[in-house]
Structures are given as structure tokens and as C-alpha cells.
Amino acid sequence: MASSQHVLLSPAELAYLHASLSLTPPIRPDGRSPTQFRPLVAETGILPGTNGSARICFADGTEAIVGVKAEVERTAQRPGEETVFLEEGGGGDGDGDDDDDEEGETGAQGDRRKGEASWVEMTVEIPGLRDDDSGTAFLSAMLSEALLADGEFVKRLWINRRFHWKLYLDIILISPPLSYPLPLLSLTTHLALLSTRLPRLKSEGDEDPFFDDDWAAAPYLFPRSSSSSATAATNTTATKQPATATRPPITLLVMAFGNNIIFDPSKEELAVADVALAVSVTSSNSSSNSSGDGENDEAASAGGRSLRLLSIRTIDPPSRLTPPGVPNAANAAYGAAAALGTQKMLEARTAETEAVEGVWRAPRGGAKRMVLGALVQKTLERGGVVDEVLDALEGVDLG
Amino acid sequence: MPLDTSTYNLALLRVDGRRWNELRRVHAQIRTQAAADGSSYLEMGHTKVMCVVTGPSEPGPRRGGVAGGGSGGAGAGGAGGKAEVVVGIVIAGFSSVDRKRHGRGDKRTLELASTVANALAASLHTHLFPHSQINVSLHVLSQDGSLLAALINAATLACVDAGIPMTDYVAACTAGSTSTYAANDEGADPLLDLNHQEEQELPGLTVATLGESDRVAVLVCESRVQVSRLEGMLAVGVDGCKQMREILDRVVRDKGRRMIQEGTVEKGVGLDDMDVD
């Protein structure tokens, strides 16, 4: 879909753009550094009728809104697991009482809490495209893949053995798809999940779930690292969270031009990329750092975050679909080739396949393994782009 | 959950505490999105709608079933020498209280789209843009009654922002009656601007008028109501549309004034009557 959207650039312009992006250091059309993100406007909690919502406007004018709704759903029981449940049922009541010693608890609870990918339903709406459009389906698959990849996220939706939350994520692109909307949708989803709150559970064990009416007491699905220790003492659901405060995944686009690695491509840059990757990354603040409460937030956020790679997808850059430029020597319109004999025509054809300075030639063949490795490494670099983006998103006030 | 209408006669207050002739809080913004030709955001109570207008532009390649979700077209494209108004409505799954997936081919959404498209096509000067297309894409973020009215108002604002010449504002509003059809109450009062609860229970209609005139551009009534009550409802609705027009006009003027102050646009000839501080 949008990734293969044609930009209205001539082959000569494409070649110029590609050449300037291949320089060391690369020169981007908007003067950014290779790792610099475009400014964005973000807000959360825009829709009080949802469990969590967010809106992000990118500088290129694209805008997305994500709303999260949660419903309680009965977990399908499998006959084989029933006996195990009954055995553990006795111990389950005890768990509710001694919440204080978390260290011993988390291990046991972590094993018990299960999740299934079907507990999350994600829909992507792109104006002007059909529901079953391959591009939309691919986008939604990539976004949900990042969310479900490690199986940790769905465990948060566990209520007790008989019930779970069913989470509906509705992702709407408001603006027409001007550039490939994957990073926008991913960042908006990240923010919406950060702002998502589920009602506080009042019932214990495997009873029918019963929730607190007070929305102010509702814990966040992803408790903030600074406040998580405070809320953990008061509510029972927070104790279910693992000791590390993980964050929802983000998916970023990374491109390679020769040896240059460039983040956050604009539409024009993506159109000439050699390789474009969608890299999904999640972050977890390691428990060793968060245990030291005396540390200030900056140190915890900069040093304590460990990035984890969730998934990688190659994106077909539109450059593969751009028609190659024809050198003047071989261009019939210039009269050069018209009068030539077959011998010279053959030469002209070889000239077309060779790289000619200033003539656009679409990249051929797949990405080299070294390049892919470098792209991933650069993304996961400490203090790199992902850290910067996550810090920025964490700075958004959760309404 | 049936709406308790019995208390209305005691205090003459509706379920949300309004009088019969009061609009809900209306908040609107225009030029909410930098990339679009025209854009707007409108809240009527808890009904929240966003609108993005693209065009007038060359009609793109025809995809199957026209662009967008529930979409309706009005005005002949190309051949008739008039711009075609294509309206697409996306109702977000999270917009209602219970999450509901609205498919693209939803008949209700299609009808809303074609109503909005017809209303806009009649008031926009589409003959100035032959062989072109005006794309209006509406997003419903939250629903609490008077959806069609909110859609029409948002579309009007976005068209103003896009700078498409039009005869006047198309301002819409809903009107209802205090008792149900079955009650057959002759003395029922008309109500202005129904919310979701009232819309479920009471007869209601949506009316849109052209500017300050009494000319009705849209009139949709989907519920059973005695003919004798209709006139009162319509009169209240038209009155509400005038109030709505004032609100929309203020939004546009405020934005225009701010843009002149910021120097985004130069103060033009036609803007002399606007008092810019």
C-alpha cells in the first residue's frame, strides 16, 4: 500500500536524493541528522469513553488516533487443564493474603498467569482503503506481531483462571496516508497502551470478577516505574506485574543507503532506500536499577532501560518499483540511439544496467546480511534513537 | 434501559438537566491538521467528530466501491461539469459505550454519508470545479446522539477551512418531543438537541438549514411521531440551527482573527469589517 506509493520525483531527482543520502555524512533533504526524529505532537486521554486513548500528529501532517477498550471475557477452559486448576485453587486463596513478599510470589504467579494472542484484537482503519486491503492487513499484522511477540503482554490481561480482559485496539489514521504510516500508528498505539487503565479488581481468587467503581483507583496496564512501587502496595493487580516495568513495543523504520543508516524516513527518503526495515523494540527497566529508589529518574531511565528486539520485518521500499533512468547516450528521445546500429544498441543496453553517475537505478537484490545486522545493532544501541523516542513518549502527560 | 420521562413535567428539566430549548455544549476547532486542505473538530455534548477535506482535486483512479468506508457521492463527477462530493464516514469501534465494530458496508453509515454528501453538494459551488472531486472524510470518535447533525456541522466547518466557495453555512441540529409516540400526548413539548438516551426513546428529527434563512437543507425523521407534533419540533429544530450557525460562525471568525494576528494570512479587502485588535 503506502510503502509502495509513488512519489512524484523524476529519475534524476531520485538519483540526486540517493546520492546525497549516500554521502558521509549523509545530507537529508530536510537537514536532519541521520538519527534525528521529526517533531511530533502527542496527547493522551483524549477520549473519556475509552480505557486508554492517544493522538499523535507528525510534522508531515499525518495524524492518528488510537482507542483501547477492554471487556471481561470468560477464558475457554480446556478439560485437560481442569485438574491442575483445582489443585492450585487451594493455593490461590493464600496468594491473595501474603502479597507483601513479592520476590517469592512473582515467580509462582508468573508461571500461573497465562495469556493467549486472541485476547487482543487490533483493527487498523486507513481512510480511502478497504478493510481487507493487503496494506492495511500487513500493517495490522506488524503492529500486533510486535505486541504479541514475546507473550508477555497478554499475561497482563489475566484476571483469574476463569476470566481475562479482552482488549480491543482500534487504530484510526485521520489524515490521508501521505507517508508510510507504520511508525505513526506504532507510536500512537504505544501511547494509548501507556495511558490504558483497567478497573481495580476487588474479588479474590477465581471468583467472578468484581471491580472497584472508582476510576481514580484504576491501575495502569503498564505501571509507571516511578509510581509503580507506590501503587503496588495498595492494589492487588499491581502485584501481578513482574518486577521489571516493561513498556509497550514501538516499531520504527530504519533505512540503509550504502553504509549509512538513517532513522525516521520521510516519504521521499523512503522512496530511494536500499533497504528499509521495520524494527520492533520493547524496553524493560531492569529490576536491579529500579530497586534503588534513591536514584533520580534520569539515571533510572537512561541507564536502567534495556532494549529487547521483538521482531524485524523488511519493508519493500518504493525504490524497487521506480523505473530506472536512461542515460542520454541510450535515450532514443535524444536521437542518440535512434540512428545507431544493433551493435551500439547492445552497448547501450549494457550501459543501462551499469551504474551511471546521476542516473537513477533501482536497487536490485536483497539486503546484505551485514547491513541488516548493522541496522539492528544501531537501533538497539544504548542512548540511541529508541531511547530518545521512549524518553520523549514517557514525557507525555497521561491524562 | 427506558428513559424516565415522567419527571420532565415536574421541573421541566431533561435527564441531563437542560431546559427544552437548550443546546448541549458545543466546542469546535478548525484547521486541526496541517496536511489537509481543510479540517475540523466538533464536539456536541459527548458526540465528537473529526473531519478532513481534501480537494477540490483531480479525481483519483476509481477503486472498487469508491474511496473509504461508508461513502456516498453526490453531484455528477466530470461529465456534468460539477465537482463530485465524496463523503466517507469511519465510525471508530471505541466510539460507543460498548465496543462495536462498524463494517465498511454498513447501510446506516452509507445513508449518513449520502445525506451529508447531498447536503454539501447543494450548498457548495461545485460548478466552479468541473472534472474534480471534493473528498470529505469524517471520523466519529465518540457518539452520544445527534450524530448526523454533528457530521454535517463538522463537514461545513472543514469545507470553510478548505476555502471551497459555498452559499452559506449548513448548520444542523436535532429536535424531539417530550413524550413517546405511544403515549400520544397532545401537550408534549418539543425538545432541542437530543442526546443518545433521548434519541433511543423519544421521537426525533434532524434538520439542517442554510445560513440564517429558514431554508431547510436536510430533514431526516426516522421515528414515528404524530403529525400534529411535527410542526413544533421543526420550528424548534430550525431555531436550534440558527443558534448553531452563530456558533460555527464564531469559530470561523475567531480562527480567522487569530490567523491575521499571527500574520499567517494578510488582512484582505473583504476582511475590513472584522475588528482586528
Side-chain angles (χ1 to χ4, degrees):
Chain A
M1 182 209 58
S3 79
S4 58
Q5 204 179 27
H6 282 288
V7 284
L8 298 170
L9 291 178
S10 69
E13 284 167 323
L14 289 173
Y16 176 78
L17 198 54
H18 185 266
S20 64
L21 286 166
S22 309
L23 294 171
T24 37
I27 299 170
R28 304 179 73 168
D30 45 8
R32 282 183 289 160
S33 77
T35 55
Q36 199 177 352
F37 252 69
R38 286 168 293 181
L40 56 84
V41 179
E43 53 180 331
T44 62
I46 50 167
L47 298 166
T50 58
N51 288 72
S53 57
R55 163 178 175 260
I56 290 189
C57 293
F58 265 21
D60 62 357
T62 51
E63 179 180 9
I65 288 184
V66 173
V68 182
K69 278 235 178 203
E71 282 174 11
V72 176
E73 202 178 60
R74 192 178 280 271
T75 310
Q77 304 272 358
R78 290 189 195 81
E81 291 171 32
E82 202 79 44
T83 51
V84 185
F85 283 168
L86 287 174
E87 276 172 30
E88 286 188 6
D93 294 333
D95 285 350
D97 301 330
D98 44 27
D99 279 331
D100 305 357
D101 45 353
E102 280 183 275
E103 295 89 342
E105 213 62 54
T106 43
Q109 293 223 350
D111 294 337
R112 228 184 45 191
R113 294 168 64 234
K114 293 191 185 103
E116 281 171 35
S118 62
W119 293 0
V120 178
E121 196 177 309
M122 188 181 276
T123 57
V124 177
E125 290 267 13
I126 311 262
L129 289 181
R130 290 161 54 99
D131 274 348
D132 49 359
D133 186 273
S134 62
T136 314
F138 191 51
L139 274 177
S140 128
M142 267 196 287
L143 290 170
S144 55
E145 180 183 68
L147 203 56
L148 304 171
D150 57 354
E152 288 296 320
F153 174 70
V154 281
K155 284 185 186 165
R156 292 170 186 270
L157 305 176
W158 190 89
I159 297 173
N160 57 35
R161 287 194 192 83
R162 292 167 53 226
F163 292 93
H164 63 261
W165 289 106
K166 171 115 186 182
L167 213 62
Y168 296 96
L169 283 152
D170 291 290
I171 303 171
I172 302 181
L173 189 67
I174 300 287
S175 60
L178 297 170
S179 58
Y180 194 56
L182 181 68
L184 171 67
L185 299 184
S186 163
L187 294 185
T188 319
T189 311
H190 175 97
L191 261 190
L193 284 171
L194 269 188
S195 73
T196 298
R197 302 162 83 176
L198 298 174
R200 189 168 71 87
L201 190 67
K202 272 178 134 177
S203 58
E204 289 176 359
D206 288 342
E207 296 169 2
D208 285 3
F210 172 64
F211 297 99
D212 196 341
D213 283 347
D214 188 4
W215 183 247
Y220 285 102
L221 186 61
F222 287 90
R224 315 231 94 184
S225 46
S226 51
S227 60
S228 63
S229 53
T231 51
T234 53
N235 61 51
T236 50
T237 43
T239 59
K240 294 198 297 191
Q241 308 296 348
T244 55
T246 51
R247 289 274 163 269
I250 55 171
T251 308
L252 298 179
L253 282 184
V254 196
M255 321 176 283
F257 292 92
N259 292 323
N260 291 336
I261 294 171
I262 294 179
F263 286 87
D264 189 32
S266 66
K267 186 172 91 176
E268 292 80 15
E269 288 167 339
L270 191 63
V272 292
D274 288 341
V275 188
L277 279 191
V279 185
S280 302
V281 180
T282 187
S283 79
S284 50
N285 294 355
S286 55
S287 52
S288 59
N289 272 314
S290 59
S291 64
D293 286 326
E295 284 179 318
N296 57 3
D297 283 349
E298 277 179 32
S301 63
R305 181 183 293 133
S306 62
L307 299 176
R308 223 149 37 86
L309 184 69
L310 289 173
S311 67
I312 308 175
R313 288 269 172 182
T314 53
I315 307 284
D316 254 359
S319 56
R320 302 216 181 273
L321 301 173
T322 47
V326 183
N328 277 354
N331 196 343
Y334 283 83
L340 299 180
T342 45
Q343 176 63 32
K344 294 235 170 139
M345 282 295 277
L346 278 173
E347 277 176 25
R349 205 167 294 154
T350 53
E352 189 193 321
T353 52
E354 280 165 16
V356 178
E357 177 76 27
V359 175
W360 170 244
R361 205 168 59 102
R364 282 166 201 173
K368 293 191 180 61
R369 209 174 275 191
M370 294 284 283
V371 175
L372 288 184
L375 283 171
V376 173
Q377 202 166 8
K378 183 83 175 167
T379 314
L380 294 177
E381 201 176 59
R382 172 158 295 201
V385 177
V386 175
D387 264 335
E388 201 179 297
V389 171
L390 284 172
D391 281 342
L393 289 177
E394 227 154 300
V396 177
D397 186 31
L398 296 184
Chain B
M1 186 177 64
L3 178 66
D4 185 14
T5 49
S6 58
T7 53
Y8 177 79
N9 286 330
L10 300 176
L12 299 181
L13 289 175
R14 292 150 72 175
V15 275
D16 50 6
R18 284 182 291 154
R19 303 264 176 206
W20 64 274
N21 61 348
E22 275 177 328
L23 286 173
R24 289 176 289 175
R25 189 186 79 101
V26 179
H27 168 76
Q29 279 172 281
I30 62 171
R31 190 149 298 189
T32 52
Q33 202 189 83
D37 291 324
S39 55
S40 68
Y41 171 76
L42 183 101
E43 283 179 22
M44 285 174 75
H46 291 297
T47 305
K48 297 174 185 176
V49 179
M50 261 184 154
C51 183
V52 175
V53 169
T54 331
S57 58
E58 201 178 334
R62 282 256 168 193
R63 287 200 205 86
V66 198
S71 56
K82 282 183 173 183
E84 188 185 11
V85 181
V86 177
V87 176
I89 298 181
V90 173
I91 299 186
F94 50 77
S95 62
S96 42
V97 176
D98 291 315
R99 196 248 178 207
K100 185 168 171 275
R101 182 100 170 85
H102 299 267
R104 292 265 161 155
D106 187 13
K107 289 282 189 292
R108 234 192 118 61
T109 321
L110 282 176
E111 197 185 338
L112 285 176
S114 86
T115 311
V116 176
N118 284 320
L120 284 181
S123 65
L124 294 174
H125 289 307
T126 50
H127 63 276
L128 296 174
F129 309 100
H131 312 292
S132 52
Q133 189 178 340
I134 299 168
N135 233 313
V136 181
S137 112
L138 287 152
H139 301 264
V140 180
L141 304 180
S142 172
Q143 298 186 63
D144 184 28
S146 304
L147 181 60
L148 177 59
L151 291 174
I152 292 174
N153 291 335
T156 304
L157 281 181
C159 284
V160 170
D161 184 28
I164 304 170
M166 56 201 294
T167 44
D168 209 331
Y169 293 93
V170 189
C173 183
T174 52
S177 190
T178 45
S179 70
T180 57
Y181 171 76
N184 200 3
D185 179 10
E186 280 302 313
D189 277 345
L191 296 175
L192 186 64
D193 196 14
L194 305 184
N195 62 23
H196 178 72
Q197 244 183 325
E198 291 168 333
E199 214 168 51
Q200 291 291 310
E201 203 74 13
L202 303 172
L205 53 82
T206 302
V207 59
T209 59
L210 208 58
E212 283 170 318
S213 67
D214 281 339
R215 291 173 60 193
V216 172
V218 175
L219 180 58
V220 178
C221 181
E222 291 171 320
S223 49
R224 288 165 71 93
V225 62
Q226 279 85 2
V227 164
S228 55
R229 286 200 238 167
L230 196 66
E231 195 184 335
M233 284 163 65
L234 195 54
V236 168
V238 168
D239 191 54
C241 289
K242 282 181 187 154
Q243 290 182 47
M244 191 58 77
R245 188 212 171 262
E246 288 305 310
I247 294 169
L248 299 186
D249 193 46
R250 204 159 42 211
V251 169
V252 172
R253 279 174 194 276
D254 280 353
K255 182 69 185 177
R257 192 172 295 131
R258 223 171 314 130
M259 282 170 72
I260 291 172
Q261 276 168 357
E262 287 165 1
T264 325
V265 286
E266 293 219 344
K267 193 175 171 184
V269 188
L271 296 167
D272 282 335
D273 52 336
M274 259 167 76
D275 43 21
V276 179
D277 309 325

